[in-house]
Amino acid sequence: MPKYFQPEIETASREQLLEIQNRKIVEQVRHVYDHVPYYRALMQQKGVTPEDIHGVEDIHLLPFLTKADLRDSYPYGLLGADLKDCVRIHSTSGTTGKRVVAFYTKEDVDLWEDCCARAIVAAGGSDEDVCQVCYGYGLFTGGFGLHGGAHKVGCLTLPMSSGNTARQIQFMMDLHSTILCCTPSYAAYIGESLAEQGIRPEDNCLKAGIFGAEPWTEEMRRSIEQSLGIHAYDIYGLTELGGPGVAFECEAQSGMHINEDHFYAEIIDPDTGEVLPEGEKGELVFTSLDKRAFPLLRYRTRDICMLKREQCPCGRTHIKMCKPMGRSDDMLIIRGVNVFPSQIEAVLLSEGYSPNYQIVVDRVNNTDTFDVNVELTAGQFSDKVSETQAREKALEAALRTMLGIGPKVHLVTPQTIARSEGKAVRVIDRRKLHD
């Protein structure tokens, strides 16, 4: 049973990793400066040239990129390769309908799949395993990332995508799946569905699960492990950087190893932008060291977490990040989907409703619930239940089109939603997302 997918890199010394990072950042900055006019303009505004960057110790001189930059440069403004050399896109939902589109060359896809293969092997995977991929395929990165990684490892890969739980369970049991890849909330639901069918944890062949795309707690990990009879491993990624596989858990289950030969991580003060020492809590910033089609430098993830470099029992030497402990912006992650209040507000205004609304998120039986309360104006209010229900359904459909996820809409009477003299409380998140 292999312990590493690429042992020479995964167990490289700190000096070797630093040498790789220094070489790659110099090449990447030159590549971006020469091929991405949008970022070249940001560098010129800051008075920085490629000649100023000699290694990662100089990375703090570079300007940040934010989600706003990605929206403003949509669709081709941050493209770093000729379009004829790009073989794929993936995309996130946009905060106001404008999406972030990430491009990939064939080499970019190859490196991404290597990262996911490392995660699968770290979870105990080999060419003898059956890997069931229940992340969504299509524009979402989850399905394709773990699918490609499983191929690299040599697993028999079941490209199930999400949903149709009865079919998931049938294939899982009939084909003796050993590794499950999906969101943690869906893994919990599969566990519940198996129990309802009288299938005990010891009746399936699963040994490991690789779960990400949404926040989950240690309590939820323990529950999933018990219901499925597996070890549950965390995985981290962003579409903007290449998808899942930026970081992953090993057998120690004590933080996620960042693939430092491909991604350079910093922790900054979210208010000042100052780089913080390892071990301090702040906003996570990533630089893609070798992605060519969509090469992001100093991208602010808005995730709050900590980095720690310590000897790991698994033998991997790459720095670890903890589970994200929150956000420095107002983004919610609901059932693996990024949701911004501004998206909901845009739909309400376009549909003729007032901007008085409240988002209520909870987690019931390990599954996120998503409700939107919308206040009617006096002119919109009707005491006909059927009319109100029809309008709620229409608004739910409009929100699903924008978000890619369907909330439960409740149209409430005027002046029902509490007013605030300060910033309006638009979001009530009752989930316990970290212990």
Side-chain angles (χ1 to χ4, degrees):
M1 181 81 63
K3 191 171 183 180
Y4 314 106
F5 179 66
Q6 294 169 316
E8 71 286 351
I9 291 294
E10 295 179 65
T11 62
S13 69
R14 178 71 190 122
E15 292 72 28
Q16 289 172 317
L17 282 173
L18 196 55
E19 182 181 349
I20 292 170
Q21 290 177 326
N22 286 338
R23 171 176 53 80
K24 286 188 174 184
I25 191 60
V26 170
E27 294 173 357
Q28 186 74 308
V29 170
R30 170 52 68 184
H31 170 74
V32 171
Y33 192 86
D34 290 344
H35 295 92
V36 185
Y38 186 98
Y39 197 80
R40 180 167 65 243
L42 292 180
M43 289 179 64
Q44 290 170 342
Q45 289 171 19
K46 202 171 181 185
V48 185
T49 68
E51 288 72 29
D52 296 320
I53 308 301
H54 304 99
V56 292
E57 74 276 3
D58 298 320
I59 208 166
H60 67 279
L61 300 173
L62 296 168
F64 292 113
L65 278 172
T66 66
K67 182 80 79 170
D69 290 307
L70 272 57
R71 291 198 305 271
D72 292 344
S73 60
Y74 171 90
Y76 295 123
L78 288 171
L79 184 63
D82 290 339
L83 208 56
K84 67 180 179 60
D85 294 325
C86 297
V87 298
R88 192 191 299 173
I89 69 159
H90 284 285
S91 174
T92 64
S93 60
T95 59
T96 56
K98 188 176 282 189
R99 296 176 177 272
V100 171
V101 176
F103 298 85
Y104 299 73
T105 66
K106 185 177 179 181
E107 292 74 22
D108 292 338
V109 172
D110 191 48
L111 294 177
W112 175 27
E113 291 176 347
D114 282 348
C115 290
C116 290
R118 292 179 190 179
I120 291 170
V121 174
S126 73
D127 57 7
E128 297 181 358
D129 282 290
V130 178
C131 187
Q132 184 160 336
V133 182
C134 312
Y135 286 111
Y137 282 66
L139 291 174
F140 181 59
T141 55
F144 276 101
L146 273 301
H147 179 105
H151 276 200
K152 283 280 183 87
V153 174
C155 303
L156 174 62
T157 307
L158 310 186
M160 303 297 295
S161 195
S162 55
N164 199 333
T165 305
R167 185 176 63 186
Q168 300 277 6
I169 291 174
Q170 179 189 347
F171 274 74
M172 179 187 298
M173 300 304 294
D174 291 350
L175 295 174
H176 301 158
S177 299
T178 55
I179 298 175
L180 179 66
C181 303
C182 61
T183 62
S185 58
Y186 192 55
Y189 181 70
I190 289 175
E192 292 167 3
S193 299
L194 287 168
E196 288 172 1
Q197 295 183 30
I199 302 173
R200 301 167 302 173
E202 57 268 30
D203 294 335
N204 71 60
C205 294
L206 291 174
K207 66 178 185 181
I210 300 174
F211 308 131
E214 65 185 16
W216 55 308
T217 64
E218 287 301 314
E219 182 181 32
M220 189 172 182
R221 185 209 298 267
R222 291 189 292 270
S223 174
I224 292 171
E225 289 184 332
Q226 186 174 14
S227 68
L228 293 175
I230 63 171
H231 291 292
Y233 299 94
D234 209 346
I235 191 168
Y236 177 90
L238 303 110
T239 299
E240 300 92 319
L241 291 169
V246 172
F248 60 88
E249 271 190 327
C250 63
E251 63 199 42
Q253 296 177 303
S254 59
M256 291 172 277
H257 290 284
I258 294 170
N259 283 307
E260 287 193 274
D261 54 321
H262 299 304
F263 305 99
Y264 183 77
E266 304 170 87
I267 295 291
I268 66 166
D269 182 312
D271 297 320
T272 67
E274 175 193 0
V275 180
L276 301 176
E278 286 179 12
E280 290 199 22
K281 184 170 73 171
E283 182 183 338
L284 183 61
V285 173
F286 272 116
T287 291
S288 177
L289 294 174
D290 44 21
K291 191 176 180 189
R292 287 297 182 259
F294 202 65
L296 299 189
L297 303 181
R298 301 201 83 197
Y299 179 66
R300 295 186 62 164
T301 68
R302 301 297 181 180
D303 284 327
I304 300 298
C305 77
M306 294 185 293
L307 301 177
K308 57 181 179 180
R309 191 181 300 280
E310 60 186 19
Q311 188 172 355
C312 185
C314 77
R316 290 175 179 80
T317 52
H318 295 212
I319 198 168
K320 286 182 179 180
M321 59 175 281
C322 71
K323 281 180 178 289
M325 295 177 280
R327 301 278 303 175
S328 64
D329 61 12
D330 61 352
M331 188 183 84
L332 292 163
I333 302 177
I334 304 172
R335 296 179 222 145
V337 177
N338 296 348
V339 174
F340 289 84
S342 54
Q343 291 175 297
I344 292 171
E345 191 166 311
V347 171
L348 296 182
L349 293 172
S350 69
E351 296 292 320
Y353 292 93
S354 79
N356 293 318
Y357 67 95
Q358 202 160 59
I359 304 163
V360 182
V361 187
D362 205 345
R363 184 161 283 170
V364 179
N365 295 327
N366 289 320
T367 300
D368 290 342
T369 62
F370 179 20
D371 294 78
V372 180
N373 300 323
V374 181
E375 193 173 275
L376 295 167
T377 64
Q380 292 171 326
F381 179 71
S382 170
D383 56 4
K384 293 182 179 179
V385 175
S386 59
E387 184 178 326
T388 299
Q389 289 177 338
R391 297 183 72 170
E392 288 174 340
K393 293 296 182 187
L395 191 51
E396 285 172 1
L399 287 167
R400 181 185 289 276
T401 299
M402 166 67 85
L403 305 172
I405 184 174
K408 178 67 176 174
V409 170
H410 309 273
L411 296 177
V412 299
T413 56
Q415 303 298 314
T416 300
I417 295 175
R419 297 328 195 236
S420 171
E421 293 181 3
K423 186 176 180 181
V425 180
R426 296 294 185 210
V427 178
I428 300 174
D429 192 342
R430 298 186 176 126
R431 298 172 296 178
K432 182 173 179 282
L433 297 181
H434 54 85
D435 295 327

